[in-house]
Amino acid sequence: MDDFDQSLHEFQVGIQARRAAERWLSGFERALEARDVEQLGAMFHQDSHWRDILAFTWHMTPVEGRDKIAQRLAAEQEHTAAHGFH
């Protein structure tokens, strides 16, 4: 593979990663807006950890497990109305 092919490949991989992140953030925002606990939970790994540092509660509030994370995010969304993720 020459330098051009390598650069093109790296560019394509970067575009794919950006699109995947944009899709995830878009889905996350939709689930938050709907306060859909099931949809939020599906976006996290079962063994996920969320350390809220000023993002939703203005406190350092660690939460473990996707179900607890989803419940907490949905509950806090009422107060935060988080949106515009990018």
Side-chain angles (χ1 to χ4, degrees), residues 38-85:
E38 193 171 311
Q39 189 177 358
L40 282 166
M43 301 190 77
F44 291 89
H45 186 274
Q46 182 65 35
D47 188 33
S48 292
H49 296 260
W50 180 274
R51 186 169 293 155
D52 182 3
I53 304 174
L54 307 179
F56 280 80
T57 64
W58 289 91
H59 297 92
M60 187 168 179
T61 313
V63 182
E64 296 179 22
R66 78 168 151 211
D67 295 336
K68 289 180 183 176
I69 292 169
Q71 291 167 358
R72 184 64 180 261
L73 289 172
E76 294 298 336
Q77 179 63 8
E78 181 178 350
H79 306 289
T80 60
H83 64 284
F85 295 95

Side-chain angles (χ1 to χ4, degrees), residues 22-36 39-40 43 85:
E22 289 170 346
R23 281 191 305 272
W24 191 92
L25 287 170
S26 177
F28 182 67
E29 186 166 340
R30 281 191 309 275
L32 272 177
E33 286 175 356
R35 289 188 229 149
D36 185 334
Q39 189 177 358
L40 282 166
M43 301 190 77
F85 295 95

